[in-house]
Amino acid sequence: MGPAGSSAGQGLEDREERLMEDQTELQDRLLSELEEAGEENLPTLANTIFAEEMTVDQQRAGIRSALAGLINADLVRVAFEDATGRELREISKELSERVIEQLDDHLVLRSDGTWTGGPRPWPEVVTTEKGKARARVILETRGYQWWRQ
C-alpha cells in the first residue's frame, strides 16, 4: 500500500480531471449552439446546454466556468443591445469576464425550472472568428446537440 493520504490525493486528482472534462464539454456545447447565429442571449444558452440532472448551483457554476474559459481563450465575448435594441455592442475581454463573474445578476431561475434573465438588456454571448472556426469543427466532429441524443 502507498503512503498515507495517497488515495485521498488520487481522489482529488480524479475530481479535478472530471471538472476539467465537464468544463470542456460545456464549452463545446456553448460553441456548438452559437455556431449558426454567432450570438445568443445568456438565458437561452443556459436552457439549451444542460441535459443531465444538475442542481441550480451546479448549472450556474458550470456555465460561469465554461464561459470564463471561452472568454479567456478568445473564443467568445459578451455583448449588449444598443439603446435602439437593433445592434449588439461587443464589450472587451476584461468587461466580459466581469459580466460572467456577476452571473447571478443575469441568470434567474423561474418557478418552472427554466432560466430567464435579470434586468434588460440581457447579456448576449457572441463568437469571435476563432470561436466560429472552433464551433464548426465541434459540429463536424460531434453533430448537432449530441448531448441530447
Side-chain angles (χ1 to χ4, degrees):
M1 184 176 239
S6 64
S7 63
Q10 183 63 41
L12 179 60
E13 288 175 18
D14 290 345
R15 279 194 302 271
E16 287 175 354
E17 186 175 317
R18 277 195 310 276
L19 286 173
M20 291 300 292
E21 288 171 3
D22 291 348
Q23 180 180 357
T24 300
E25 174 70 16
L26 288 177
Q27 288 174 345
D28 284 358
R29 291 178 187 185
L30 285 163
L31 284 174
S32 72
E33 286 299 303
L34 291 167
E35 191 275 335
E36 187 175 339
E39 63 192 54
E40 188 58 77
N41 69 62
L42 189 55
T44 298
L45 284 172
N47 286 322
T48 306
I49 65 167
F50 295 109
E52 50 281 306
E53 291 295 318
M54 298 173 80
T55 68
V56 171
D57 290 340
Q58 288 171 325
Q59 287 186 22
R60 276 196 178 114
I63 199 166
R64 181 182 290 115
S65 177
L67 285 170
L70 291 171
I71 291 166
N72 188 51
D74 294 321
L75 297 171
V76 301
R77 289 289 180 269
V78 172
F80 287 95
E81 291 179 346
D82 67 5
T84 67
R86 294 187 200 132
E87 192 174 327
L88 288 178
R89 301 272 188 221
E90 191 175 309
I91 60 176
S92 70
K93 181 178 187 174
E94 293 75 22
L95 289 176
S96 293
E97 289 169 339
R98 274 197 233 148
V99 169
I100 298 309
E101 287 170 5
Q102 299 168 350
L103 187 76
D104 293 356
D105 295 341
H106 303 290
L107 204 54
V108 178
L109 192 68
R110 291 182 178 151
S111 60
D112 67 0
T114 60
W115 294 104
T116 189
R120 291 203 183 248
W122 293 347
E124 299 276 334
V125 180
V126 297
T127 52
T128 63
E129 289 303 315
K130 186 177 168 183
K132 288 176 191 171
R134 175 76 182 123
R136 283 190 289 277
V137 170
I138 292 166
L139 282 175
E140 289 170 8
T141 305
R142 302 187 81 179
Y144 177 70
Q145 290 192 347
W146 67 89
W147 62 93
R148 295 188 181 270
Q149 299 174 16

